Amino acid sequence: MKLREQRIAQMKVEHELMLANKRKGHGELTEIVQDEFLPSVMGSKRTVCHFYHKDFERCKIMDMHLTNLAAVHVETKFVKINAEKCPFFTHKLDVQILPTVICFFEGITKPGQRQIGFMGLNGEKQFDSTGREVEQGDGDDFPTERLAAKLGEIGVIDYTAKATMDEMRRFGLLQQESSIKQTVRGEVREAGSHTSDY
């Protein structure tokens, strides 16, 4: 019973933390202006800030991915700011390519804690934390999972890669290739064997 009580207490603490984060604006991608920038990035332990331009299609694509991630990763605050309307921070943080996503930890960022454009998210070879090559997209088409992996690698979100089919089979979570026999017009065949009847 003691283990159960400890787990319930832990779940209560996690729930309170989630509610506190929601009150701070976590759980959604919020647009901010220059005067709100410092309070936003300083007010949370982890913040993702998207510098965008309202007319750039790639910025809209990044917004879509960040909106999806914000809903799932309530532990991190997601904000966006129009780069044209905040010249001081755009210059101070050396934002030269849009979209640029900068990660802050208690208001502090370092050079490697950013995503510049779609670099590494499409077309280029990308590897996850275990060294496996991640499936590639082309052009502006990349899965949100790839951006999540990048932000998780930086440490700004709590990210765990999805298990591959091979890993799931290895740990017994999926059936191995079955040798289920099926009958087709009175003929017994192994599953997966396809012979043409024509």
Side-chain angles (χ1 to χ4, degrees):
M1 272 320 238
K2 187 166 175 105
L3 182 62
R4 182 176 188 271
E5 291 167 0
Q6 287 175 340
R7 180 65 182 132
I8 289 173
Q10 178 188 4
M11 288 172 63
K12 284 181 181 178
V13 168
E14 290 171 358
H15 183 71
E16 287 301 317
L17 181 61
M18 184 196 65
L19 291 176
N21 283 340
K22 286 249 186 196
R23 284 190 292 273
K24 291 182 193 174
H26 294 223
E28 60 188 9
L29 179 62
T30 308
E31 182 153 8
I32 60 172
V33 294
Q34 184 164 298
D35 293 342
E36 298 169 324
F37 182 79
L38 285 177
S40 291
V41 299
M42 301 289 281
S44 295
K45 282 187 173 187
R46 300 183 279 184
T47 306
V48 170
C49 183
H50 174 211
F51 285 82
Y52 77 97
H53 188 285
K54 65 182 175 74
D55 296 329
F56 290 5
E57 193 61 35
R58 283 188 154 204
C59 292
K60 293 173 186 172
I61 293 168
M62 185 63 78
D63 271 353
M64 178 201 61
H65 291 294
L66 291 174
T67 299
N68 293 339
L69 290 174
V72 176
H73 295 280
V74 183
E75 72 276 4
T76 302
K77 185 170 188 172
F78 287 80
V79 296
K80 68 179 187 174
I81 190 164
N82 188 330
E84 278 187 313
K85 295 182 179 179
C86 65
F88 176 77
F89 291 112
T90 301
H91 176 73
K92 191 78 173 158
L93 294 168
D94 197 29
V95 175
Q96 297 178 7
I97 297 172
L98 297 177
T100 291
V101 175
I102 301 178
C103 305
F104 294 89
F105 296 88
E106 296 177 346
I108 299 170
T109 187
K110 295 180 181 166
Q113 297 174 333
R114 59 180 59 203
Q115 173 64 46
I116 300 170
F118 291 172
M119 202 176 325
L121 299 176
N122 61 0
E124 301 171 12
K125 287 198 177 210
Q126 181 78 13
F127 300 92
D128 65 12
S129 58
T130 62
R132 292 188 313 250
E133 187 173 341
V134 179
E135 187 177 317
Q136 298 303 306
D138 58 334
D140 296 343
D141 184 28
F142 63 90
T144 303
E145 181 78 10
R146 200 163 304 141
L147 179 59
K150 171 72 174 185
L151 296 177
E153 182 183 305
I154 291 170
V156 75
I157 63 172
D158 297 333
Y159 172 77
T160 304
K162 292 181 181 177
T164 64
M165 297 298 272
D166 186 44
E167 290 171 333
M168 291 175 69
R169 275 190 211 96
R170 197 174 334 138
F171 293 105
L173 300 172
L174 281 181
Q175 297 285 339
Q176 295 288 338
E177 291 290 326
S178 64
S179 58
I180 299 172
K181 298 183 190 262
Q182 53 181 306
T183 306
V184 178
R185 295 189 189 146
E187 195 177 314
V188 178
R189 298 182 185 165
E190 296 288 323
S193 68
H194 303 285
T195 56
S196 177
D197 291 336
Y198 302 106

